[in-house]
Amino acid sequence: MKPDVSIVIPAFHEEKCVAELHRRLSNVLAGLNCRYEILFVDDGSRDQTFQELARIAEHDPTVRALRLSRNFGHQAALAAGLAHAAGRAVISMDADLQHPPELIPVLLDRWREGYEVVYTVRRETADAGTRKKITSSLFYRLINFVSPVRITPGAADFRLLDRKAVDALLGMRERTLFLRGLIPWIGFKQIEVPFDAPERFAGATKYGYRKMLAFAINGILSLSTMPLRMAALFGGGVVGIGLAYGVYVVWTAITNPHALPGWASIILVLLLLGGAQIFFLGVIGEYLSRVFEEVKGRPLYIVAESIPREESPDEKRELD
Ligand code: UDP
Ligand code: MG
């Protein structure tokens, strides 16, 4: 029988967290009087995360685990989890206990009230330094400047999605899945639930500055073509200045018989045009690379193993 609720948890190098998370989750879920499954997605960890999960699944039939064939990144791991979750509602959360399982009953209450997307928003994050806070607030300002839909600052990847919303997301054909932008984009009845994020239970954050920058760039390019428009505007400005300067040069040449057309003006024009061309090329190249990704149509992830083992079509035929 299909579960009512699936909990989807991407985990990358979380060997010290998963057992404690499973304990606290089970405590909460057992008291809820609903059928549930806990679906871990091991995002290509090289530590003991998957062995830990296998051990947990041995004693608890509600636990399933997927191991991706390498580290595909948080968003891809989430997508894998959504695709394999069977519940009528799917809750995604981090493996490091920064998303308190004790909030789950609140999310489910909102769902039963009829909300199809219940997303949580961090009020306070215990271990976030000033630098992370500044970069995060900058990111949300920038992305909301370019985005056609509003993205709530501090919206976490801790959220409940109704089956309808999950199916809508899974129907997206794009390869760079930026869930924080797609969730507001898909619409449905949405509501936010605030919470305070504690420190991570063990281990270190997997989001260094490089990954955060890549995340921000992906988000902006997946949501908006405004950078292209900005390039066009900038190019227009450059042409305008060039024209004004051209008028000045011609005027000087006519009115001042001693005026020599100087190298300076030529070099200036060359610099302006050269700069604009390079800038355009950069912007166009950035989008071209996305088009390239889309055209290639590679799978978002490759599942190497799963618990319990999924029957392959051949095995099914043998059983018939
Ligand atoms: N994660 C993942 N793949 C990655 C990086 C992170 O599946 O490549 C998982 C990680 O195990 C955790 C969640 O994504 O469950 C959020 O990562 P983390 O806690 O490191 O991010 P932070 O809370 O510091 O932003
Ligand atoms: Mg975390």
Side-chain angles (χ1 to χ4, degrees):
M1 248 225 282
K2 282 200 170 169
D4 301 315
V5 182
S6 302
I7 315 284
V8 165
I9 306 159
F12 178 52
H13 293 171
E14 306 284 12
E15 58 183 6
K16 295 208 183 72
C17 296
V18 287
E20 174 67 9
L21 174 62
H22 171 250
R23 194 185 62 77
R24 274 178 57 186
L25 258 179
S26 305
N27 273 347
V28 171
L29 293 169
L32 282 179
N33 190 27
C34 68
R35 281 189 308 274
Y36 64 87
E37 63 171 357
I38 304 174
L39 174 57
F40 284 96
V41 181
D42 174 9
D43 186 14
S45 305
R46 291 173 300 276
D47 65 357
Q48 296 293 306
T49 301
F50 195 70
Q51 285 82 338
E52 272 293 302
L53 293 175
R55 204 179 52 72
I56 295 168
E58 225 169 83
H59 302 291
D60 182 351
T62 64
V63 172
R64 292 163 65 203
L66 299 177
R67 184 171 72 80
L68 303 191
S69 60
R70 67 166 170 84
N71 180 236
F72 282 90
H74 182 204
Q75 300 288 302
L78 266 175
L82 289 182
H84 287 83
R88 289 195 295 125
V90 179
I91 297 174
S92 60
M93 62 194 300
D94 286 358
D96 58 0
L97 286 157
Q98 288 197 292
H99 297 160
E102 291 70 26
L103 204 64
I104 287 177
V106 180
L107 304 185
L108 287 171
D109 282 344
R110 292 281 169 279
W111 176 55
R112 293 206 182 95
E113 285 165 20
Y115 290 100
E116 287 144 330
V117 176
V118 187
Y119 59 93
T120 67
V121 178
R122 286 178 303 250
R123 267 185 305 234
E124 220 27 82
T125 306
D127 59 356
T130 350
R131 263 207 300 185
K132 182 138 184 176
K133 278 189 193 145
I134 291 172
T135 47
S136 151
S137 111
L138 258 176
F139 166 68
Y140 282 106
R141 246 167 239 239
L142 187 66
I143 201 150
N144 272 317
F145 180 66
V146 302
S147 166
V149 286
R150 189 181 140 70
I151 296 171
T152 315
D157 282 310
F158 182 21
R159 61 174 87 80
L160 180 149
L161 299 170
D162 184 79
R163 171 54 44 195
K164 276 181 275 180
V166 174
D167 288 342
L169 284 175
L170 294 177
M172 300 275 173
R173 292 205 44 236
E174 63 196 83
R175 301 278 115 194
T176 36
L177 209 56
F178 181 68
L179 285 172
R180 281 184 207 186
L182 285 177
I183 300 276
W185 192 87
I186 57 167
F188 292 113
K189 275 180 73 183
Q190 309 210 355
I191 192 162
E192 69 175 65
V193 173
F195 78 107
D196 294 315
E199 279 178 38
R200 68 164 27 251
F201 179 70
T205 175
K206 288 13 173 240
Y207 272 96
Y209 283 102
R210 259 174 55 184
K211 265 196 186 169
M212 270 180 356
L213 189 68
F215 183 73
I217 291 174
N218 266 342
I220 288 164
L221 290 174
S222 84
L223 276 172
S224 154
T225 51
M226 196 184 268
L228 258 184
R229 192 167 308 147
M230 268 162 49
L233 288 175
F234 181 82
V238 169
V239 170
I241 292 167
L243 281 177
Y245 191 68
V247 169
Y248 167 76
V249 168
V250 172
W251 180 252
T252 313
I254 294 169
T255 55
N256 186 349
H258 305 296
L260 280 175
W263 278 112
S265 61
I266 293 169
I267 286 170
L268 194 66
V269 169
L270 280 178
L271 281 178
L272 281 175
L273 287 181
Q277 281 169 340
I278 291 169
F279 184 71
F280 283 135
L281 277 179
V283 174
I284 291 169
E286 198 56 41
Y287 278 89
L288 196 64
S289 72
R290 308 292 137 144
V291 174
F292 184 50
E293 285 303 317
E294 301 290 336
V295 170
K296 278 194 295 194
R298 284 191 188 157
L300 269 180
Y301 54 83
I302 301 161
V303 176
E305 270 178 73
S306 82
I307 297 174
R309 211 155 62 85
E310 273 174 359
E311 291 174 334
S312 72
D314 307 275
E315 282 173 286
K316 270 196 192 133
R317 222 171 290 131
E318 275 168 28
L319 287 174
D320 282 344

